[in-house]
Amino acid sequence: MDYELTLFDRINIIKETINKYGENNFYISFSGGKDSVVLHYLIDQALPNNHIPRVFINTGIEYIDIVKFVKDLADKDNRFVIINSSKPIKTILETYGYPFKSKQHSHNLNIYQHSGKTKTVEKYLGEGNKSIFLCPKLLKYQFSDNFKIKISDRCCYKLKKEPIKKWMKENNKTITITGMRKEEGGNRNNLTCAVFNSEDLVKFHPLAPIDNEWEEEYIKCNNIKLCSLYYPPFNFKRTGCKGCPFSLDLQKQLTTMKKYLPNERKQCEFIWKPVYEEYRKLNYRLDNVEQLKLF
């Protein structure tokens, strides 16, 4: 990906889109992670002196260093807005269910636990189709009355989307700018720069086509400082909710946390305990020989 050409293209896309729909209608969904930091600087480069809010949702399960990083930014820049989640994660999980494997798996399993084998569930459990979106054979046992853990994909919605919808309504914001990129994979493979509801722009993903190499070059060229978790000894590639069972590199995260962030690791073991126990029993995403004594 040609660095200068892509930079010129992204700056133009940002200028045109925000000017077309009006700066006052936008806000940036700011996670404190690498992509959202790059987005923050790129928008300032495209539109100097903009007043677009950078909104961070402190869910209670963000890494401590991420929260500190965002608070430091907010101390220097009043465009940063920090919203604290009003509901504890444990209460949400016990009420709605725990995440397991992926959003799709959790969603389909939640349907089964409430409504039995609907057509959606039967399709997800289908045999003979090699689609990556089918339920793995290893996890089909969960679609039975013997599996007792309440599963859902609702925690992200309750922790993040619900509070931000409330904030958007109160502040008359209608368009979300995110740092989401196609290269992250999964459901983002088909990500487009603009998402519309009827004729109204509702989401803007200016980093959608950006690859890792270009992003690293942008960070280097602009001498951008990221959260400490992206540097040694942590070397995280992603941050987000700590210990989230959806994470593909969950074991690596927990191993790093055990060594450098032991108290946060203990918090993860407490919050996600039923899922971690099941993962370890299956030797799925977590090693069944690696366990942490909490007390």
Side-chain angles (χ1 to χ4, degrees):
M1 184 176 283
D2 182 277
Y3 177 76
E4 293 295 340
L5 186 62
T6 302
L7 178 61
F8 179 78
D9 174 66
R10 291 300 91 192
I11 285 176
N12 277 342
I13 288 288
I14 291 169
K15 280 182 181 177
E16 290 173 4
T17 303
I18 293 178
N19 286 335
K20 179 177 180 180
Y21 293 96
E23 179 183 312
N24 289 337
N25 292 312
F26 290 86
Y27 81 94
I28 298 171
S29 177
F30 191 83
S31 69
K34 182 188 290 188
D35 294 340
S36 65
V37 172
V38 167
L39 176 67
H40 159 63
Y41 281 97
L42 189 59
I43 287 179
D44 276 356
Q45 193 172 355
L47 293 168
N49 303 315
N50 71 80
H51 295 91
I52 300 172
R54 281 77 165 144
V55 183
F56 173 76
I57 308 294
N58 185 7
T59 62
I61 51 172
E62 308 300 318
Y63 286 98
I64 291 172
D65 282 0
I66 284 286
V67 176
K68 182 179 183 301
F69 176 73
V70 177
K71 285 182 176 179
D72 286 346
L73 289 172
D75 286 342
K76 302 168 188 173
D77 188 337
N78 62 13
R79 294 175 301 175
F80 284 88
V81 178
I82 299 175
I83 301 173
N84 294 313
S85 179
S86 60
K87 297 178 182 177
I89 177 64
K90 257 302 195 181
T91 300
I92 289 172
L93 295 175
E94 290 168 358
T95 303
Y96 298 97
Y98 288 80
F100 200 106
K101 183 190 179 293
S102 65
K103 287 188 177 182
Q104 184 191 37
H105 181 83
S106 300
H107 177 71
N108 288 328
L109 186 48
N110 182 263
I111 291 174
Y112 172 79
Q113 291 180 340
H114 284 84
S115 305
K117 279 196 176 181
T118 64
K119 288 185 178 180
T120 299
V121 173
E122 288 178 351
K123 185 176 179 181
Y124 182 59
L125 295 172
E127 301 289 346
N129 189 329
K130 295 183 179 179
S131 168
I132 60 172
F133 299 111
L134 290 180
C135 179
K137 289 182 180 179
L138 178 69
L139 302 181
K140 285 187 176 181
Y141 75 94
Q142 296 178 345
F143 292 83
S144 73
D145 293 339
N146 295 324
F147 184 69
K148 301 301 183 182
I149 303 174
K150 187 188 292 186
I151 301 296
S152 169
D153 62 339
R154 298 285 288 172
C155 61
C156 285
Y157 180 84
K158 303 302 290 186
L159 280 173
K160 296 179 181 179
K161 293 184 179 179
E162 208 169 67
I164 199 62
K165 281 187 175 181
K166 182 175 181 289
W167 181 89
M168 288 175 69
K169 185 176 181 180
E170 291 172 349
N171 291 274
N172 297 314
K173 303 298 179 185
T174 57
I175 308 169
T176 306
I177 313 176
T178 82
M180 291 169 60
R181 297 184 297 121
K182 282 185 182 182
E183 195 168 84
E184 294 172 286
N187 292 333
R188 299 182 181 183
N189 282 331
N190 299 316
L191 191 69
T192 58
C193 284
V195 178
F196 293 88
N197 180 6
S198 186
E199 295 182 357
D200 298 324
L201 179 68
V202 291
K203 289 185 180 179
F204 180 36
H205 310 301
L207 300 188
I210 296 302
D211 62 22
N212 292 333
E213 185 179 356
W214 189 94
E215 187 173 61
E216 291 298 332
E217 185 70 12
Y218 185 80
I219 291 168
K220 181 180 177 182
C221 289
N222 292 278
N223 196 28
I224 293 172
K225 182 182 178 182
L226 303 173
C227 172
S228 60
L229 296 177
Y230 288 94
Y231 305 108
F234 311 105
N235 296 312
F236 281 8
K237 301 298 181 186
R238 296 180 60 81
T239 49
C241 296
K242 57 189 169 190
C244 176
F246 286 157
S247 175
L248 296 177
D249 66 347
L250 179 58
Q251 182 61 67
K252 185 177 179 181
Q253 283 185 38
L254 293 182
T255 300
T256 301
M257 291 169 70
K258 182 178 180 180
K259 187 173 182 180
Y260 300 110
L261 305 167
N263 289 332
E264 292 186 73
R265 165 70 189 265
K266 289 178 183 180
Q267 184 189 16
C268 291
E269 293 286 345
F270 172 73
I271 291 170
W272 310 111
K273 182 179 179 181
V275 179
Y276 284 6
E277 287 180 346
E278 200 71 12
Y279 277 7
R280 290 187 174 111
K281 185 174 75 176
L282 298 168
N283 200 23
Y284 178 81
R285 289 194 182 162
L286 294 181
D287 299 338
N288 58 13
V289 295
E290 199 270 350
Q291 194 82 40
L292 179 73
K293 291 183 179 179
L294 297 181
F295 306 104

